[in-house]
Amino acid sequence: MGKDVIIACDFASAEETLSFLDKFEGKKPFVKIGMELYYAEGPSIVKEIKKRGHKIFLDLKLHDIPNTVKKGMAVLSKLDVDMTNLHASGTKAMMEAALEGLTRPDGTRPMLIAVTQLTSTSQERMEADLLIKEPIDKVVMHYASCARDAGLDGVVCSPLEAGKVHDVCGKNFVTVTPGVRFADGDKGDQVRVMTPEQAKKIGSDYIVVGRPITAAPDPVAAYERCISEFVG
Ligand code: C5P
């Protein structure tokens, strides 16, 4: 499995996204399309970016009854994305149904990864709002194990959790980690961050990087710096 840098293309329109990607000329970075862009532009933006030769992580975080998620995933599998995701809190039955829906008639499918507890959820809110009383890292590892048992490929997690996820679920279980910042960069609203180099050391398989690349004066140079710190 190849380590790679995934650029979070958190733009509001196809126009903005494509002019950002135009800057990369011959390079074809792995791109994350999230809810904002997908809800604004629909499947056409996925098809356009795919046509340009990029790999795509479609970050829509599905969470519904198993049958609905299965059917939704069957539609997404036709978009030929490389990676997509769901919430592990939908239960193993939902994750198994998702895998079934995502698998194409020829047996191939995009990678499927799970969100455990969102990094925006604190211990306090999890206890008060979700009535989950266990320590949050135990909850994260349990959800990761459920995702592995359901046959998923990995989880989205904080880079700080990536090492432990590998210890618990095996080194081939993929960790996709946002919350990455350059040592000399602005943290923005991210709290628990790591540099690409630290994320590499701790064993992240893919880092998801948004603003350190998209808001950089020279996005291509910032992307290349990420690649050389994380992959090279
Ligand atoms: O701009 P920045 O590098 O903070 O972007 C990180 C990307 O990863 C955003 O698209 C954000 O929604 C996503 N993400 C995150 N933390 C999570 C899950 C996803 O930052 N726990």
Side-chain angles (χ1 to χ4, degrees), residues 4-42:
D4 210 348
V5 174
I6 303 178
I7 305 180
C9 284
D10 293 322
F11 298 112
S13 70
E15 201 186 355
E16 238 184 303
T17 309
L18 298 176
S19 70
F20 169 76
L21 292 176
D22 282 344
K23 298 187 197 327
F24 288 82
E25 294 178 341
K27 296 181 195 71
K28 302 289 175 193
F30 203 136
V31 161
K32 178 170 92 73
I33 298 176
M35 291 184 201
E36 184 187 13
L37 184 57
Y38 190 76
Y39 292 157
E41 300 288 350

Side-chain angles (χ1 to χ4, degrees), residues 153-206:
D153 303 294
V155 286
V156 186
C157 62
S158 143
L160 296 148
E161 293 159 353
K164 192 150 179 217
V165 168
H166 282 138
D167 291 345
V168 172
C169 298
K171 68 173 175 20
N172 292 329
F173 194 66
V174 169
T175 54
V176 179
T177 64
V180 174
R181 291 293 179 264
F182 292 122
D184 52 2
D186 186 3
K187 279 212 245 174
D189 56 354
Q190 297 279 15
V191 182
R192 298 161 73 214
V193 297
M194 264 193 192
T195 65
E197 215 168 5
Q198 288 167 330
K200 177 185 181 178
K201 276 197 197 119
I202 211 157
S204 294
D205 298 296
Y206 295 87

Side-chain angles (χ1 to χ4, degrees), residues 2-9 20-21 24 27-33 49-50 53-59 81-84 110-111 113 174 176 205-209 213 223 227:
K3 281 192 182 279
D4 210 348
V5 174
I6 303 178
I7 305 180
C9 284
F20 169 76
L21 292 176
F24 288 82
K27 296 181 195 71
K28 302 289 175 193
F30 203 136
V31 161
K32 178 170 92 73
I33 298 176
I49 295 176
K50 196 74 206 175
H54 298 265
K55 285 189 177 171
I56 296 176
F57 168 20
L58 189 56
D59 178 18
V81 297
D82 300 277
M83 184 188 286
T84 191
M111 284 176 67
I113 59 171
V174 169
V176 179
D205 298 296
Y206 295 87
I207 52 173
V208 174
V209 188
I213 296 175
Y223 170 71
I227 291 281

Side-chain angles (χ1 to χ4, degrees), residues 114-188:
V115 175
T116 56
Q117 279 294 341
L118 290 168
T119 47
S120 51
T121 305
S122 63
Q123 179 75 37
E124 191 189 11
R125 291 332 311 167
M126 189 182 72
E127 288 185 16
D129 300 353
L130 309 180
L131 218 58
I132 299 171
K133 306 290 186 187
E134 301 285 349
I136 198 159
D137 64 327
K138 188 173 169 194
V139 176
V140 167
M141 296 311 148
H142 179 65
Y143 284 21
S145 303
C146 288
R148 182 208 49 202
D149 294 348
L152 269 67
D153 303 294
V155 286
V156 186
C157 62
S158 143
L160 296 148
E161 293 159 353
K164 192 150 179 217
V165 168
H166 282 138
D167 291 345
V168 172
C169 298
K171 68 173 175 20
N172 292 329
F173 194 66
V174 169
T175 54
V176 179
T177 64
V180 174
R181 291 293 179 264
F182 292 122
D184 52 2
D186 186 3
K187 279 212 245 174

